[in-house]
Amino acid sequence: ANLEKLDLCDNNFGNKASQDALFRALGCTASLSYLDLRDCELEDDGVKKVCHALFESDSALEHLDLSGNAVERRGAKQIADYIRDSGGKLKVLCLDDNDLTSKGVVHIASAFHGSEDGHAIERLQLNYTMCGAIGARALIDAFGPDGKDLPNLTKICLDGNSFKEDIAGELEVAFDNKLVEMEENDSDGEADDDLSDEDSDEEEEDENEEEQNGEVDALTDAMNKSLVV
């Protein structure tokens, strides 16, 4: 329960049994401030369990790395819900090498709205996340005029995405020296052109959400019972 730093990167949590075990373990880490789950094959379902467990544990998490976990739009929404529900404590969020698309990035950006004194986030990594203009402008909006809504932000990483020159220019103007140089930006492509294919999958995903919520609730009940002495 007094664990403050947990690095589990490059492990395989791709099956239900391992994800459930991780859920129970994280639910008991009230002192956790640093969690690295990079390249753990979590996908959307695993990320949902991780976020729910972190919320249940009520830890003051400051560093969360979920890079390289094949996270898509649905998983991004779960991460956004956790950011919002945790009260703006997170300082570092790394989501590199995931298939978020602009829709997922919009979810993440929306989570930074609403803090009276601005969100605590200092570093935001969204390299290689299939982000285009829609996601870029959502991030600019979340930053606010002169960065007033994210006053603690010192670095934002958006390399390896698909921003046309005008959008890249908007990002550079908005974030100035906080934006890490985008050496691998695809200025000839536009990731948002492919979003129509994703739309057709949303209804089916939403239909599965209730079943998945029931599974997480059952895990939560089991975890809480195990903590009763």
Side-chain angles (χ1 to χ4, degrees), residues 6 11 20 22 29 37 39 43 50 53 58 60 63 73 93 102 138 160 182 189 192-193 199 201 204-205 211 213 228:
L6 183 59
N11 283 289
D20 290 355
L22 179 62
T29 54
L37 290 169
D39 297 325
E43 301 185 345
V50 166
D58 197 28
H63 181 114
R73 177 192 62 85
L93 178 63
S102 276
M182 298 186 293
D192 294 349
D193 291 346
D199 290 340
D201 297 330
E204 182 179 349
E205 288 179 356
E211 179 181 347
N213 286 341
V228 174

PDB file of all heavy atoms in Angstrom, residues 6 11 20 22 29 37 39 43 50 53 58 60 63 73 93 102 138 160 182 189 192-193 199 201 204-205 211 213 228:
ATOM      1  N   LEU A   6       5.992   2.368  -9.684  1.00  0.00           N
ATOM      2  CA  LEU A   6       5.795   1.036 -10.237  1.00  0.00           C
ATOM      3  C   LEU A   6       6.084   1.062 -11.738  1.00  0.00           C
ATOM      4  O   LEU A   6       5.424   1.769 -12.501  1.00  0.00           O
ATOM      5  CB  LEU A   6       4.352   0.571  -9.994  1.00  0.00           C
ATOM      6  CG  LEU A   6       3.999  -0.850 -10.450  1.00  0.00           C
ATOM      7  CD1 LEU A   6       4.882  -1.881  -9.761  1.00  0.00           C
ATOM      8  CD2 LEU A   6       2.530  -1.144 -10.171  1.00  0.00           C
ATOM      9  N   ASN A  11       5.907  -5.719 -20.229  1.00  0.00           N
ATOM     10  CA  ASN A  11       5.286  -6.968 -19.810  1.00  0.00           C
ATOM     11  C   ASN A  11       4.021  -7.198 -20.642  1.00  0.00           C
ATOM     12  O   ASN A  11       3.538  -6.304 -21.332  1.00  0.00           O
ATOM     13  CB  ASN A  11       4.933  -6.918 -18.317  1.00  0.00           C
ATOM     14  CG  ASN A  11       6.157  -7.123 -17.437  1.00  0.00           C
ATOM     15  OD1 ASN A  11       6.704  -8.219 -17.352  1.00  0.00           O
ATOM     16  ND2 ASN A  11       6.596  -6.051 -16.797  1.00  0.00           N
ATOM     17  N   ASP A  20      -7.022  -8.583 -14.993  1.00  0.00           N
ATOM     18  CA  ASP A  20      -7.754  -8.607 -13.722  1.00  0.00           C
ATOM     19  C   ASP A  20      -6.795  -8.580 -12.536  1.00  0.00           C
ATOM     20  O   ASP A  20      -7.051  -7.920 -11.525  1.00  0.00           O
ATOM     21  CB  ASP A  20      -8.640  -9.849 -13.647  1.00  0.00           C
ATOM     22  CG  ASP A  20      -9.815  -9.790 -14.614  1.00  0.00           C
ATOM     23  OD1 ASP A  20      -9.990  -8.726 -15.271  1.00  0.00           O
ATOM     24  OD2 ASP A  20     -10.542 -10.793 -14.736  1.00  0.00           O
ATOM     25  N   LEU A  22      -3.800  -7.249 -12.555  1.00  0.00           N
ATOM     26  CA  LEU A  22      -3.262  -5.885 -12.511  1.00  0.00           C
ATOM     27  C   LEU A  22      -4.267  -4.937 -11.883  1.00  0.00           C
ATOM     28  O   LEU A  22      -3.901  -4.071 -11.077  1.00  0.00           O
ATOM     29  CB  LEU A  22      -2.914  -5.434 -13.931  1.00  0.00           C
ATOM     30  CG  LEU A  22      -2.346  -4.018 -14.083  1.00  0.00           C
ATOM     31  CD1 LEU A  22      -1.016  -3.884 -13.339  1.00  0.00           C
ATOM     32  CD2 LEU A  22      -2.165  -3.678 -15.556  1.00  0.00           C
ATOM     33  N   THR A  29      -2.959   0.512  -4.266  1.00  0.00           N
ATOM     34  CA  THR A  29      -1.748   1.350  -4.270  1.00  0.00           C
ATOM     35  C   THR A  29      -2.101   2.814  -4.026  1.00  0.00           C
ATOM     36  O   THR A  29      -1.931   3.667  -4.904  1.00  0.00           O
ATOM     37  CB  THR A  29      -1.002   1.215  -5.611  1.00  0.00           C
ATOM     38  OG1 THR A  29      -1.927   1.514  -6.686  1.00  0.00           O
ATOM     39  CG2 THR A  29      -0.466  -0.189  -5.787  1.00  0.00           C
ATOM     40  N   LEU A  37       3.426   1.724 -17.721  1.00  0.00           N
ATOM     41  CA  LEU A  37       2.869   0.527 -18.354  1.00  0.00           C
ATOM     42  C   LEU A  37       3.091   0.577 -19.863  1.00  0.00           C
ATOM     43  O   LEU A  37       2.270   0.106 -20.641  1.00  0.00           O
ATOM     44  CB  LEU A  37       1.372   0.412 -18.035  1.00  0.00           C
ATOM     45  CG  LEU A  37       1.022   0.065 -16.590  1.00  0.00           C
ATOM     46  CD1 LEU A  37      -0.466   0.233 -16.343  1.00  0.00           C
ATOM     47  CD2 LEU A  37       1.450  -1.357 -16.258  1.00  0.00           C
ATOM     48  N   ASP A  39       4.157  -0.371 -23.478  1.00  0.00           N
ATOM     49  CA  ASP A  39       4.329  -1.616 -24.248  1.00  0.00           C
ATOM     50  C   ASP A  39       3.901  -2.850 -23.455  1.00  0.00           C
ATOM     51  O   ASP A  39       4.633  -3.828 -23.321  1.00  0.00           O
ATOM     52  CB  ASP A  39       5.789  -1.768 -24.703  1.00  0.00           C
ATOM     53  CG  ASP A  39       6.224  -0.653 -25.638  1.00  0.00           C
ATOM     54  OD1 ASP A  39       5.394  -0.195 -26.442  1.00  0.00           O
ATOM     55  OD2 ASP A  39       7.404  -0.250 -25.568  1.00  0.00           O
ATOM     56  N   GLU A  43      -4.373  -2.661 -24.694  1.00  0.00           N
ATOM     57  CA  GLU A  43      -5.483  -2.299 -25.570  1.00  0.00           C
ATOM     58  C   GLU A  43      -6.575  -1.570 -24.768  1.00  0.00           C
ATOM     59  O   GLU A  43      -6.393  -1.259 -23.588  1.00  0.00           O
ATOM     60  CB  GLU A  43      -6.023  -3.522 -26.311  1.00  0.00           C
ATOM     61  CG  GLU A  43      -4.964  -4.201 -27.171  1.00  0.00           C
ATOM     62  CD  GLU A  43      -5.500  -5.340 -28.007  1.00  0.00           C
ATOM     63  OE1 GLU A  43      -6.632  -5.819 -27.750  1.00  0.00           O
ATOM     64  OE2 GLU A  43      -4.777  -5.770 -28.924  1.00  0.00           O
ATOM     65  N   VAL A  50      -7.255  -0.394 -15.885  1.00  0.00           N
ATOM     66  CA  VAL A  50      -6.194   0.350 -15.214  1.00  0.00           C
ATOM     67  C   VAL A  50      -6.722   1.673 -14.677  1.00  0.00           C
ATOM     68  O   VAL A  50      -6.501   2.023 -13.511  1.00  0.00           O
ATOM     69  CB  VAL A  50      -5.012   0.598 -16.175  1.00  0.00           C
ATOM     70  CG1 VAL A  50      -4.060   1.644 -15.604  1.00  0.00           C
ATOM     71  CG2 VAL A  50      -4.260  -0.698 -16.439  1.00  0.00           C
ATOM     72  N   ALA A  53      -9.101   1.180 -11.745  1.00  0.00           N
ATOM     73  CA  ALA A  53      -8.383   0.775 -10.534  1.00  0.00           C
ATOM     74  C   ALA A  53      -7.664   1.959  -9.902  1.00  0.00           C
ATOM     75  O   ALA A  53      -7.665   2.121  -8.675  1.00  0.00           O
ATOM     76  CB  ALA A  53      -7.384  -0.326 -10.857  1.00  0.00           C
ATOM     77  N   ASP A  58      -7.610   5.919  -5.317  1.00  0.00           N
ATOM     78  CA  ASP A  58      -7.521   7.326  -4.871  1.00  0.00           C
ATOM     79  C   ASP A  58      -6.066   7.753  -4.667  1.00  0.00           C
ATOM     80  O   ASP A  58      -5.754   8.529  -3.765  1.00  0.00           O
ATOM     81  CB  ASP A  58      -8.319   7.527  -3.577  1.00  0.00           C
ATOM     82  CG  ASP A  58      -8.595   9.008  -3.317  1.00  0.00           C
ATOM     83  OD1 ASP A  58      -8.668   9.776  -4.282  1.00  0.00           O
ATOM     84  OD2 ASP A  58      -8.703   9.392  -2.129  1.00  0.00           O
ATOM     85  N   ALA A  60      -2.544   9.695  -5.601  1.00  0.00           N
ATOM     86  CA  ALA A  60      -2.206  11.008  -6.158  1.00  0.00           C
ATOM     87  C   ALA A  60      -1.195  10.820  -7.282  1.00  0.00           C
ATOM     88  O   ALA A  60      -0.063  11.298  -7.222  1.00  0.00           O
ATOM     89  CB  ALA A  60      -1.655  11.915  -5.065  1.00  0.00           C
ATOM     90  N   HIS A  63       2.601  10.663 -12.614  1.00  0.00           N
ATOM     91  CA  HIS A  63       3.239  10.235 -13.861  1.00  0.00           C
ATOM     92  C   HIS A  63       2.556   8.961 -14.348  1.00  0.00           C
ATOM     93  O   HIS A  63       2.538   7.947 -13.649  1.00  0.00           O
ATOM     94  CB  HIS A  63       4.733   9.972 -13.631  1.00  0.00           C
ATOM     95  CG  HIS A  63       5.482   9.562 -14.863  1.00  0.00           C
ATOM     96  ND1 HIS A  63       6.462  10.358 -15.415  1.00  0.00           N
ATOM     97  CD2 HIS A  63       5.411   8.446 -15.644  1.00  0.00           C
ATOM     98  CE1 HIS A  63       6.959   9.748 -16.488  1.00  0.00           C
ATOM     99  NE2 HIS A  63       6.334   8.585 -16.641  1.00  0.00           N
ATOM    100  N   ARG A  73      -9.754   5.106 -29.768  1.00  0.00           N
ATOM    101  CA  ARG A  73     -10.661   6.162 -29.280  1.00  0.00           C
ATOM    102  C   ARG A  73     -11.330   5.794 -27.955  1.00  0.00           C
ATOM    103  O   ARG A  73     -11.412   6.603 -27.034  1.00  0.00           O
ATOM    104  CB  ARG A  73     -11.738   6.437 -30.333  1.00  0.00           C
ATOM    105  CG  ARG A  73     -12.789   7.464 -29.903  1.00  0.00           C
ATOM    106  CD  ARG A  73     -13.957   7.474 -30.857  1.00  0.00           C
ATOM    107  NE  ARG A  73     -14.649   6.203 -30.902  1.00  0.00           N
ATOM    108  CZ  ARG A  73     -15.611   5.851 -30.041  1.00  0.00           C
ATOM    109  NH1 ARG A  73     -15.970   6.676 -29.078  1.00  0.00           N
ATOM    110  NH2 ARG A  73     -16.194   4.664 -30.143  1.00  0.00           N
ATOM    111  N   LEU A  93       1.872  12.793 -18.746  1.00  0.00           N
ATOM    112  CA  LEU A  93       1.035  11.800 -19.422  1.00  0.00           C
ATOM    113  C   LEU A  93       1.688  11.444 -20.748  1.00  0.00           C
ATOM    114  O   LEU A  93       1.870  12.299 -21.619  1.00  0.00           O
ATOM    115  CB  LEU A  93      -0.373  12.344 -19.662  1.00  0.00           C
ATOM    116  CG  LEU A  93      -1.326  11.404 -20.420  1.00  0.00           C
ATOM    117  CD1 LEU A  93      -1.564  10.124 -19.623  1.00  0.00           C
ATOM    118  CD2 LEU A  93      -2.648  12.110 -20.718  1.00  0.00           C
ATOM    119  N   SER A 102      -7.581  11.620 -34.146  1.00  0.00           N
ATOM    120  CA  SER A 102      -7.982  12.926 -33.612  1.00  0.00           C
ATOM    121  C   SER A 102      -9.129  12.804 -32.613  1.00  0.00           C
ATOM    122  O   SER A 102      -9.211  13.567 -31.655  1.00  0.00           O
ATOM    123  CB  SER A 102      -8.401  13.859 -34.760  1.00  0.00           C
ATOM    124  OG  SER A 102      -7.279  14.489 -35.343  1.00  0.00           O
ATOM    125  N   ALA A 138      -8.098  20.907 -30.943  1.00  0.00           N
ATOM    126  CA  ALA A 138      -8.640  20.620 -29.608  1.00  0.00           C
ATOM    127  C   ALA A 138      -7.580  20.863 -28.536  1.00  0.00           C
ATOM    128  O   ALA A 138      -7.883  21.384 -27.457  1.00  0.00           O
ATOM    129  CB  ALA A 138      -9.144  19.181 -29.540  1.00  0.00           C
ATOM    130  N   GLY A 160       5.489  12.758 -35.460  1.00  0.00           N
ATOM    131  CA  GLY A 160       5.030  11.526 -36.078  1.00  0.00           C
ATOM    132  C   GLY A 160       3.551  11.494 -36.384  1.00  0.00           C
ATOM    133  O   GLY A 160       2.985  10.423 -36.624  1.00  0.00           O
ATOM    134  N   MET A 182       8.859  18.863 -34.515  1.00  0.00           N
ATOM    135  CA  MET A 182       8.163  17.748 -35.163  1.00  0.00           C
ATOM    136  C   MET A 182       8.913  17.334 -36.426  1.00  0.00           C
ATOM    137  O   MET A 182       8.496  17.618 -37.550  1.00  0.00           O
ATOM    138  CB  MET A 182       6.718  18.156 -35.472  1.00  0.00           C
ATOM    139  CG  MET A 182       5.916  18.477 -34.228  1.00  0.00           C
ATOM    140  SD  MET A 182       4.162  18.809 -34.552  1.00  0.00           S
ATOM    141  CE  MET A 182       4.271  20.356 -35.472  1.00  0.00           C
ATOM    142  N   GLY A 189       0.105  14.371 -45.620  1.00  0.00           N
ATOM    143  CA  GLY A 189      -1.056  13.545 -45.320  1.00  0.00           C
ATOM    144  C   GLY A 189      -2.033  14.272 -44.425  1.00  0.00           C
ATOM    145  O   GLY A 189      -1.789  15.377 -43.968  1.00  0.00           O
ATOM    146  N   ASP A 192      -7.105  12.858 -40.446  1.00  0.00           N
ATOM    147  CA  ASP A 192      -8.545  12.968 -40.225  1.00  0.00           C
ATOM    148  C   ASP A 192      -9.363  12.486 -41.420  1.00  0.00           C
ATOM    149  O   ASP A 192     -10.563  12.247 -41.289  1.00  0.00           O
ATOM    150  CB  ASP A 192      -8.916  14.417 -39.905  1.00  0.00           C
ATOM    151  CG  ASP A 192      -8.332  14.884 -38.587  1.00  0.00           C
ATOM    152  OD1 ASP A 192      -7.817  14.019 -37.834  1.00  0.00           O
ATOM    153  OD2 ASP A 192      -8.379  16.089 -38.291  1.00  0.00           O
ATOM    154  N   ASP A 193      -8.756  12.330 -42.575  1.00  0.00           N
ATOM    155  CA  ASP A 193      -9.477  11.840 -43.751  1.00  0.00           C
ATOM    156  C   ASP A 193      -9.997  10.424 -43.537  1.00  0.00           C
ATOM    157  O   ASP A 193     -10.941   9.998 -44.209  1.00  0.00           O
ATOM    158  CB  ASP A 193      -8.567  11.854 -44.989  1.00  0.00           C
ATOM    159  CG  ASP A 193      -8.249  13.271 -45.440  1.00  0.00           C
ATOM    160  OD1 ASP A 193      -8.934  14.211 -44.980  1.00  0.00           O
ATOM    161  OD2 ASP A 193      -7.300  13.440 -46.230  1.00  0.00           O
ATOM    162  N   ASP A 199     -16.081   5.885 -37.645  1.00  0.00           N
ATOM    163  CA  ASP A 199     -17.434   6.202 -37.203  1.00  0.00           C
ATOM    164  C   ASP A 199     -18.342   4.986 -37.240  1.00  0.00           C
ATOM    165  O   ASP A 199     -19.216   4.819 -36.384  1.00  0.00           O
ATOM    166  CB  ASP A 199     -18.039   7.305 -38.095  1.00  0.00           C
ATOM    167  CG  ASP A 199     -17.384   8.653 -37.872  1.00  0.00           C
ATOM    168  OD1 ASP A 199     -16.765   8.827 -36.808  1.00  0.00           O
ATOM    169  OD2 ASP A 199     -17.494   9.517 -38.760  1.00  0.00           O
ATOM    170  N   ASP A 201     -17.753   2.046 -36.547  1.00  0.00           N
ATOM    171  CA  ASP A 201     -17.495   1.103 -35.455  1.00  0.00           C
ATOM    172  C   ASP A 201     -18.006   1.616 -34.110  1.00  0.00           C
ATOM    173  O   ASP A 201     -18.104   0.849 -33.150  1.00  0.00           O
ATOM    174  CB  ASP A 201     -15.986   0.836 -35.324  1.00  0.00           C
ATOM    175  CG  ASP A 201     -15.413   0.184 -36.566  1.00  0.00           C
ATOM    176  OD1 ASP A 201     -16.178  -0.539 -37.228  1.00  0.00           O
ATOM    177  OD2 ASP A 201     -14.230   0.417 -36.861  1.00  0.00           O
ATOM    178  N   GLU A 204     -21.250  -0.095 -32.449  1.00  0.00           N
ATOM    179  CA  GLU A 204     -20.967  -1.429 -31.918  1.00  0.00           C
ATOM    180  C   GLU A 204     -20.168  -1.340 -30.624  1.00  0.00           C
ATOM    181  O   GLU A 204     -20.435  -2.073 -29.669  1.00  0.00           O
ATOM    182  CB  GLU A 204     -20.196  -2.245 -32.945  1.00  0.00           C
ATOM    183  CG  GLU A 204     -19.889  -3.664 -32.491  1.00  0.00           C
ATOM    184  CD  GLU A 204     -19.158  -4.457 -33.542  1.00  0.00           C
ATOM    185  OE1 GLU A 204     -19.066  -3.982 -34.692  1.00  0.00           O
ATOM    186  OE2 GLU A 204     -18.674  -5.556 -33.211  1.00  0.00           O
ATOM    187  N   GLU A 205     -19.198  -0.414 -30.562  1.00  0.00           N
ATOM    188  CA  GLU A 205     -18.393  -0.246 -29.353  1.00  0.00           C
ATOM    189  C   GLU A 205     -19.267   0.205 -28.190  1.00  0.00           C
ATOM    190  O   GLU A 205     -19.125  -0.273 -27.061  1.00  0.00           O
ATOM    191  CB  GLU A 205     -17.289   0.775 -29.604  1.00  0.00           C
ATOM    192  CG  GLU A 205     -16.191   0.265 -30.518  1.00  0.00           C
ATOM    193  CD  GLU A 205     -15.137   1.322 -30.769  1.00  0.00           C
ATOM    194  OE1 GLU A 205     -15.320   2.455 -30.287  1.00  0.00           O
ATOM    195  OE2 GLU A 205     -14.148   1.016 -31.447  1.00  0.00           O
ATOM    196  N   GLU A 211     -21.759  -4.022 -20.978  1.00  0.00           N
ATOM    197  CA  GLU A 211     -21.222  -5.318 -20.547  1.00  0.00           C
ATOM    198  C   GLU A 211     -19.856  -5.147 -19.898  1.00  0.00           C
ATOM    199  O   GLU A 211     -19.565  -5.753 -18.862  1.00  0.00           O
ATOM    200  CB  GLU A 211     -21.116  -6.249 -21.755  1.00  0.00           C
ATOM    201  CG  GLU A 211     -20.549  -7.613 -21.415  1.00  0.00           C
ATOM    202  CD  GLU A 211     -20.444  -8.501 -22.638  1.00  0.00           C
ATOM    203  OE1 GLU A 211     -21.026  -8.149 -23.682  1.00  0.00           O
ATOM    204  OE2 GLU A 211     -19.764  -9.548 -22.544  1.00  0.00           O
ATOM    205  N   ASN A 213     -18.695  -2.425 -18.461  1.00  0.00           N
ATOM    206  CA  ASN A 213     -18.867  -1.733 -17.184  1.00  0.00           C
ATOM    207  C   ASN A 213     -19.259  -2.710 -16.083  1.00  0.00           C
ATOM    208  O   ASN A 213     -18.800  -2.614 -14.947  1.00  0.00           O
ATOM    209  CB  ASN A 213     -19.939  -0.644 -17.313  1.00  0.00           C
ATOM    210  CG  ASN A 213     -19.450   0.568 -18.082  1.00  0.00           C
ATOM    211  OD1 ASN A 213     -18.259   0.768 -18.222  1.00  0.00           O
ATOM    212  ND2 ASN A 213     -20.375   1.358 -18.591  1.00  0.00           N
ATOM    213  N   VAL A 228     -11.615  -5.945   3.095  1.00  0.00           N
ATOM    214  CA  VAL A 228     -12.322  -5.909   4.374  1.00  0.00           C
ATOM    215  C   VAL A 228     -11.688  -6.911   5.340  1.00  0.00           C
ATOM    216  O   VAL A 228     -11.505  -8.072   5.017  1.00  0.00           O
ATOM    217  CB  VAL A 228     -13.812  -6.246   4.175  1.00  0.00           C
ATOM    218  CG1 VAL A 228     -14.504  -6.341   5.525  1.00  0.00           C
ATOM    219  CG2 VAL A 228     -14.484  -5.193   3.309  1.00  0.00           C
TER     220      VAL A 228
END
